[in-house]
């Protein structure tokens, strides 16, 4: 979100991101950052190669994006980032997500059957979600009824469900 004096965006010293006042929560994925302000709009910046920011740049490119608001998402109360996927929980307990889905970490299929980049959309099978957490290629949902749901890669048993040794099979 900040550039150094010579225009480079590498190795930035500690300093205030003056454009982001009133931030209630922040999460980082690989090469990107998501901010939720106290009045609940979502802002983000960084790499967007898998669509993890949920927005496109003016020229249609999906690479590095400057700090900006995700205008389609307001009223966000919880969020988390995986390596290249973002999960947002709104105050109405609905879940929205975007980004890489190669292990089913978004919990939804793409229309053409592909499991790669997915545009921002609602995970309609998950309602009543109180909070979320993401691993590199997995997502966990805690519902208001105190049940836990998860999806994504389970190669090391990280979803708490048994798999064959060394398996990288997605669990939905």
């Amino acid at each position: 979100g900040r550039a150094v004096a010579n225009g480079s965006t590498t190795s930035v010293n500690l300093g205030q991101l003056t454009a982001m006042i009133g931030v209630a929560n922040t999460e980082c994925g690989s090469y990107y950052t998501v901010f939720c302000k106290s009045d609940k709009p979502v802002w983000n910046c960084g790499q967007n190669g898998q669509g993890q920011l949920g927005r496109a740049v003016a020229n249609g490119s999906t690479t590095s994006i400057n700090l900006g608001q995700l205008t389609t998402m307001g009223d966000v109360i919880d969020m988390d980032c995986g390596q290249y996927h973002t999960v947002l929980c709104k105050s109405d307990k609905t879940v929205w997500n975007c980004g890489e889905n190669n292990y089913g970490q978004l919990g939804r299929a793409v229309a053409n059957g592909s499991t790669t980049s997915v545009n921002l959309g609602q995970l309609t099978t998950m309602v009543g979600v109180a909070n979320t957490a993401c691993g590199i290629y997995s997502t966990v949902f805690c519902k208001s009824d105190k049940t836990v749901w998860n999806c994504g890669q389970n190669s090391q048993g990280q979803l708490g469900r048994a798999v064959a040794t060394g398996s990288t099979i997605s669990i939905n």
Side-chain angles (χ1 to χ4, degrees):
R2 298 187 297 130
V4 290
N6 66 3
S8 170
T9 55
T10 59
S11 301
V12 177
N13 293 327
L14 179 64
Q16 182 179 355
L17 183 55
T18 55
M20 295 308 303
I21 303 297
V23 172
N25 189 12
T26 191
E27 296 290 340
C28 296
S30 290
Y31 309 109
Y32 73 104
T33 305
V34 180
F35 308 91
C36 186
K37 296 183 85 173
S38 54
D39 55 352
K40 300 189 175 104
V42 174
W43 290 68
N44 54 33
C45 58
Q47 188 203 54
N48 194 37
Q50 283 73 37
Q52 62 268 39
L53 297 182
R55 58 191 180 100
V57 292
N59 65 4
S61 170
T62 56
T63 56
S64 296
I65 295 181
N66 292 328
L67 181 65
Q69 184 176 355
L70 182 55
T71 56
T72 56
M73 288 304 298
D75 209 21
V76 171
I77 59 167
D78 189 53
M79 61 185 187
D80 206 358
C81 301
Q83 183 170 15
Y84 298 114
H85 71 287
T86 303
V87 179
L88 307 164
C89 183
K90 295 179 73 171
S91 64
D92 64 0
K93 307 288 186 192
T94 59
V95 174
W96 294 72
N97 55 29
C98 57
E100 188 174 64
N101 195 37
N102 56 332
Y103 292 101
Q105 60 265 45
L106 296 181
R108 57 191 180 106
V110 185
N112 65 5
S114 169
T115 57
T116 54
S117 299
V118 176
N119 292 329
L120 180 66
Q122 184 177 354
L123 179 57
T124 55
T125 56
M126 289 302 298
V127 292
V129 174
N131 62 47
T132 62
C134 295
I136 294 173
Y137 297 118
S138 60
T139 305
V140 178
F141 306 94
C142 242
K143 294 179 76 172
S144 299
D145 65 3
K146 309 292 185 207
T147 59
V148 175
W149 296 70
N150 54 30
C151 56
Q153 188 183 47
N154 195 39
S155 60
Q156 305 300 311
Q158 61 266 45
L159 297 181
R161 300 197 243 167
V163 293
T165 304
S167 172
T168 58
I169 296 172
S170 303
I171 296 188
N172 296 319

